[in-house]
Amino acid sequence: MNYISTRGNTAPKTFSEVLLMGLAPDGGLMLPERYPQIDAAALEKWRGLSYPDLAFEIMSLFATDIPADDLRRIIAGTYTEAAFGTKEITPVRTLSDGLKIQALSNGPTLAFKDMAMQFLGNAFEYVLAKAGTTLNIVGATSGDTGSAAEYALRGKQGVHVFMMSPAGRMSAFQRAQMYSLQDENILNIAVEGMFDDCQDIVKAIQNDAAFKEKYHIGTVNSINWGRVMAQIVYYFAGYFKATQSNSETVSFCVPSGNFGNICAGHIAKQMGLPVRRLIVATNENDVLDEFFQTGRYLPRSAAQTHVTSSPSMDISKASNFERFVFDLTGRDPEKVRALWAKVAAGEGFDLSPLLAKAREQYGFASGKSTHADRLATIRQVYGQEGELIDPHTADGVKVARSLREDGETVVCLETALAAKFADTIREAAGSVAIPRPAGLEGLEDLPQRVQTVPNDAEAVKEIIRSTLA
């Protein structure tokens, strides 16, 4: 299996090369030359597998340059009961109204990002050791990617992590998870701006070919194909848990900001998983909802991006959306280059003639949730079910309920545990006891280590230079 860029000017690469690459040299995103096709016999065989065995069957279709025994060992060391709290890894529960929630947030940092990041950390270490080289990760987070990456990569041989986050924009728990780490290979950088500004700095550094080569720059953001590949697995796992037979279909509702999570669902559907619909749930930063409603994609500036109570979705430039548009336009790199030239010019683009294809062939639908919606949803779920859901998952539940059709099985992907967003939970449900896993008591009181910089790629580059000097 070789990989190509959405912009067409990068020679085909192996999985290991793509894993260390991040953004393609031509500025595009890497994707498989083709999606593996899964037939009924494979689905039947996979239905009874454990999560690690299922992950091996799926990932081995993509990571073809890693010997099978090595890949199986990496996966077995990643998806453990010790790391994720249950042998199921991603259990599915059903609410009173029939809506299902797939638990993806039982990993070390209580967010779904652990599902891919724990694998990525182990895969990085393996590939770097084989190549005899080092990697310096430059990443951006709106709240959960950063901590998931840092916990997956802390202490790893041959890896430094330079993680940017928007200064003052995350919850106190999210900041404490990241900034309290004292590992020498972890460096936190608070940027005076929004997440999109941090993401722009990542891309600016990735696009500086000389700097990238000199300092061995990679990324763990969802622009890294390894992240998306690992996320494909839990769509298959969720489907098997939500159905009795492979003749059934399932729809997934996914809280979405950067489009990486639901992009993995899109690929799972293209592989042959019986997915009926992929429902995009946004918060007030509804650029993706606007596209799937109208066909217009117009990213917004940092000044136009709302600060909300589901902060990990406070994103107005969906990095992974380019992968879907590549498929939507018939995998035409020339067309993609032209579209993203418009995005770079601040114009956006209009693909309304392809909107029917997005809905009918690819199964996309979308909806929006507001602060009042998520508070009401958290309150209702707690009152009826006796359980607390985080604000992002609440956005998904609200949209799933508003769009669910008669007879449709909908699985909402949980994105985090409520403990990460205590202020919003208490605003919604009052003075309730918010469960926090053992070992995380007093997290916010630990010493924190972070550097604050202006919204400037050169300032971040200087930190990298001085650290690696």
Side-chain angles (χ1 to χ4, degrees):
M1 173 69 74
N2 283 326
Y3 292 82
I4 57 174
S5 169
T6 52
R7 302 194 189 179
N9 291 325
T10 297
K13 302 289 184 182
T14 66
F15 171 77
S16 294
E17 289 172 325
V18 167
L19 185 72
L20 302 182
M21 179 188 301
L23 203 64
D26 62 9
L29 302 180
M30 301 302 288
L31 270 177
E33 289 181 317
R34 56 176 177 78
Y35 297 133
Q37 296 302 294
I38 307 305
D39 58 18
L43 283 176
E44 195 60 37
K45 172 189 172 187
W46 292 357
R47 177 170 283 276
L49 295 180
S50 68
Y51 195 93
D53 287 343
L54 177 64
F56 172 77
E57 293 293 338
I58 293 170
M59 292 188 193
S60 63
L61 300 174
F62 294 100
T64 54
D65 62 321
I66 296 182
D69 287 347
D70 291 349
L71 181 61
R72 193 181 290 278
R73 188 165 50 252
I74 293 168
I75 291 170
T78 298
Y79 298 108
T80 66
E81 184 176 1
F84 291 94
T86 169
K87 287 182 179 179
E88 284 187 276
I89 307 299
T90 64
V92 173
R93 61 191 187 273
T94 305
L95 301 182
S96 300
D97 65 354
L99 183 70
K100 297 179 184 296
I101 297 180
Q102 185 174 7
L104 302 177
S105 304
N106 296 322
T109 69
L110 319 185
F112 82 97
K113 304 294 177 70
D114 290 323
M115 293 301 305
M117 207 67 76
Q118 287 289 306
F119 168 78
L120 210 61
N122 291 332
F124 275 147
E125 193 168 47
Y126 169 84
V127 172
L128 290 171
K130 285 282 187 182
T133 187
T134 60
L135 186 67
N136 297 302
I137 299 295
V138 178
T141 184
S142 56
D144 292 327
T145 291
S147 56
E150 292 178 356
Y151 277 71
L153 294 169
R154 59 189 303 193
K156 293 290 186 186
Q157 294 298 311
V159 182
H160 273 88
V161 179
F162 300 87
M163 185 59 63
M164 287 174 281
S165 56
R169 303 297 186 186
M170 301 185 295
S171 74
F173 187 102
Q174 288 175 311
R175 290 195 298 272
Q177 271 193 314
M178 292 174 56
Y179 301 166
S180 65
L181 291 181
Q182 302 298 320
D183 303 75
E184 288 298 321
N185 71 323
I186 304 295
L187 290 96
N188 282 295
I189 304 169
V191 175
E192 295 173 337
M194 298 294 289
F195 167 76
D196 290 324
D197 297 315
C198 301
Q199 189 164 252
D200 286 344
I201 292 173
V202 171
K203 290 183 177 178
I205 293 173
Q206 285 273 328
N207 282 322
D208 184 338
F211 187 89
K212 183 177 179 179
E213 180 179 3
K214 180 176 180 179
Y215 292 102
H216 305 280
I217 302 297
T219 183
V220 290
N221 278 54
S222 52
I223 59 176
N224 187 307
W225 166 253
R227 281 270 307 273
V228 178
M229 180 191 73
Q231 290 174 299
I232 294 170
V233 178
Y234 55 68
Y235 282 90
F236 281 84
Y239 172 80
F240 292 138
K241 289 182 173 67
T243 60
Q244 297 297 314
S245 76
N246 297 330
S247 62
E248 301 174 57
T249 62
V250 162
S251 296
F252 288 92
C253 185
V254 186
S256 300
N258 224 5
F259 206 78
N261 197 355
I262 203 163
C263 184
H266 160 68
I267 295 170
K269 179 175 170 63
Q270 297 312 297
M271 291 171 67
L273 186 66
V275 174
R276 180 179 177 186
R277 291 198 297 168
L278 292 162
I279 303 170
V280 177
T282 73
N283 64 10
E284 292 88 338
N285 297 296
D286 56 353
V287 170
L288 292 171
D289 182 43
E290 183 178 15
F291 175 82
F292 287 107
Q293 297 292 340
T294 69
R296 295 191 305 273
Y297 179 66
L298 183 60
R300 299 166 192 165
S301 67
Q304 295 170 313
T305 301
H306 300 283
V307 177
T308 78
S309 52
S310 48
S312 297
M313 292 157 57
D314 290 349
I315 298 169
S316 291
K317 299 175 184 176
S319 285
N320 281 278
F321 190 55
E322 184 171 334
R323 285 187 167 111
F324 172 66
V325 171
F326 182 64
D327 286 344
L328 184 63
T329 57
R331 298 200 141 207
D332 183 342
E334 185 176 349
K335 178 71 170 177
V336 170
R337 288 197 303 272
L339 293 174
W340 257 262
K342 290 184 177 182
V343 171
E347 300 173 15
F349 54 77
D350 187 341
L351 291 181
S352 52
L354 296 177
L355 193 54
K357 181 180 179 182
R359 293 171 175 167
E360 295 164 15
Q361 179 177 332
Y362 293 119
F364 276 91
S366 69
K368 172 183 174 180
S369 174
T370 66
H371 179 66
D373 291 328
R374 67 186 68 97
L375 292 184
T377 301
I378 293 168
R379 188 179 305 118
Q380 188 279 330
V381 170
Y382 180 67
Q384 189 163 349
E385 314 291 339
E387 68 172 79
L388 293 169
I389 57 174
D390 89 286
H392 310 78
T393 305
D395 287 332
V397 170
K398 184 270 178 183
V399 171
R401 285 173 167 170
S402 65
L403 296 183
R404 182 170 47 171
E405 299 172 349
D406 290 344
E408 185 179 24
T409 299
V410 180
V411 177
C412 183
L413 298 192
E414 176 191 80
T415 61
L417 295 191
K420 301 191 79 164
F421 305 96
D423 290 345
T424 301
I425 298 301
R426 294 197 172 101
E427 183 180 355
S431 298
V432 298
I434 304 174
R436 180 177 286 201
L440 294 176
E441 299 85 356
L443 180 68
E444 292 89 337
D445 299 325
L446 295 175
Q448 298 187 5
R449 188 165 63 98
V450 60
Q451 299 179 64
T452 301
V453 300
N455 177 18
D456 177 26
E458 285 303 319
V460 176
K461 285 182 180 179
E462 185 52 41
I463 290 175
I464 295 171
R465 290 188 191 98
S466 60
T467 301
L468 301 177

